[in-house]
Amino acid sequence: MARCWYAYNGVGDIIVLASYNLAVVKPSCINGPRICAIYAPNCGPVPSILSTNMRNYIANAEILLVSQPDSTPGIKKYVYCKI
């Protein structure tokens, strides 16, 4: 399934699909105390699903303040944060 970047709207719950809007460009944010964007399946107006892994990445990003997953250098990041 294709994946696209979705920008977090900054006001909704970070695990609710409607809190994200399809982005037409890759985000330039990387790390910080707030969720910036997620790389999720569907490519429609909102993501189609937030998998358990994605919810875990979002939770970890909120705690660690860095893009996730953060365990291995060079691995694809699915959640970006911003200042």
Side-chain angles (χ1 to χ4, degrees), residues 50-70:
L50 289 180
S51 67
T52 301
N53 280 344
M54 183 66 76
R55 290 191 306 271
N56 288 337
Y57 295 154
I58 291 169
N60 290 345
E62 287 281 294
I63 293 167
L64 300 172
L65 312 179
V66 295
S67 297
Q68 296 295 315
D70 189 44

Side-chain angles (χ1 to χ4, degrees), residues 24-82:
V24 295
V25 296
K26 182 179 177 182
S28 61
C29 51
I30 298 291
N31 298 317
R34 298 178 296 159
I35 299 298
C36 175
I38 61 172
Y39 193 57
N42 184 16
C43 296
V46 297
S48 60
I49 188 170
L50 289 180
S51 67
T52 301
N53 280 344
M54 183 66 76
R55 290 191 306 271
N56 288 337
Y57 295 154
I58 291 169
N60 290 345
E62 287 281 294
I63 293 167
L64 300 172
L65 312 179
V66 295
S67 297
Q68 296 295 315
D70 189 44
S71 58
T72 306
I75 195 167
K76 177 69 178 168
K77 307 296 185 199
Y78 291 95
V79 177
Y80 280 16
C81 300
K82 68 180 177 179

